[in-house]
Amino acid sequence: MTAHPSHAWHVYTGGRTPHDRVDLLPDPPPWRRFTGGPPLPTPPGDSGNQHAAVSYRPGDDAVRQVNAALYLRRPLLVTGAPGTGKSSLAYAVAHELGLGKVLHWPITSRVTLRDGLYAYDPLTRLYAAERGRDGAAGPAAADDIGDYLRLGPLGTALLPYARPRVLLIDEIDKSDIDLPNDLLTIFEKGSYELVELARRARPTAEVMTADSTTDRVEIRDGTVTCRAFPFVVMTSNGEREFPPAFLRRCVTVDLKQPATVEELTAIVGEHLGAVVGDGSGALPEGAHDVIRRFFDRRGGGLLANDQLLNAIYMCHHAAFSEPPESVRKLAEQVAPYLSDEATGADDA
């Protein structure tokens, strides 16, 4: 995971320097064209997680598959062991391509498709209407349905932005069994209906988004249709299998653990070189000892890279000046095995 070969067709390069190559994307395939409008500008600001965006080191496979997803206007399903940077990939793409703040949708077993699309608060609206009848508020204010509708991360990502928004659907393997299939329809149509708005005689309103409760967007005819299909990153820890129809409509990439001590050292340097280094970014010998020990221990059970970062940070502040035995003991206490199963050759 060092320098990436130069490919003229790559929009995302993995170089971490912001640029506007996303504007060079060709028109989508005929079956992936969407006609939402009028076009909305990209919200100002960066990815929302600057450290993850600039410290992530994508491999060649990740760079290639990100570009495939961008060209094909398809979701990217990212698998891999904990700590391999699955979520960080979304922030890195948003940062480099200038696509604004990442819309984050964390998944649990209780999450439904509706949760990702929008939320409607009828009780607060009823309370406002009652206050209006009592003279405490005007009836027009009570009838402004936009005050009680807020788009979720998925619903916001599907607004008609001129450039794609980045949507991170985190740990989709924890979802209810029906959610992947429910997402298929939305991803194929690129649109959805706000039922409460569509039922009104005047199905137009300015509603809140996942970005802000103060800035509103106008929804016309009770329907949202995308213009640029969002760049969707769905992460999975491999805890379940997905339906073939779902996998067929995704671009997939499996992020591997660093294969060498040198790769692992480079990752630590990106994250902590400025903190534990000597000013030039070079890591102290104590950090190299912890990295080598961590790499050797991986064959005995599951370890995540963020555990290594925690261990080096703690050892820097507490133990690098102590005997090597004390450093190793603290590092292993901070980075215990997450399981007793050997990680296998694929993760080495």
Side-chain angles (χ1 to χ4, degrees), residues 32-118:
R32 297 297 294 162
R33 293 178 182 171
F34 305 99
T35 58
L40 298 175
T42 302
D46 202 70
S47 67
N49 188 334
Q50 185 72 1
H51 178 76
V54 301
S55 62
Y56 180 67
R57 296 170 58 88
D60 292 338
D61 284 349
V63 172
R64 182 176 59 251
Q65 296 303 80
V66 165
N67 281 284
L70 287 166
Y71 271 75
L72 297 172
R73 277 69 170 183
R74 290 292 186 185
L76 181 68
L77 178 63
V78 186
T79 58
T84 49
K86 299 185 294 295
S87 299
S88 297
L89 178 59
Y91 294 98
V93 173
H95 170 75
E96 182 179 321
L97 300 185
L99 299 180
K101 184 178 180 180
V102 171
L103 295 159
H104 183 206
W105 185 20
I107 301 299
T108 69
S109 60
R110 298 179 298 277
V111 162
T112 66
L113 179 66
R114 170 69 177 264
D115 296 324
L117 291 175
Y118 70 95

Side-chain angles (χ1 to χ4, degrees), residues 10-24:
H10 280 183
V11 171
Y12 171 67
T13 67
R16 296 173 286 184
T17 300
H19 55 75
D20 57 3
R21 287 182 60 85
V22 70
D23 294 329
L24 301 180

Side-chain angles (χ1 to χ4, degrees), residues 28 32-39 158 160 189-191 224-229:
R32 297 297 294 162
R33 293 178 182 171
F34 305 99
T35 58
L158 289 170
K189 292 173 57 180
S191 68
V224 171
T225 301
C226 73
R227 189 177 187 91
F229 187 77

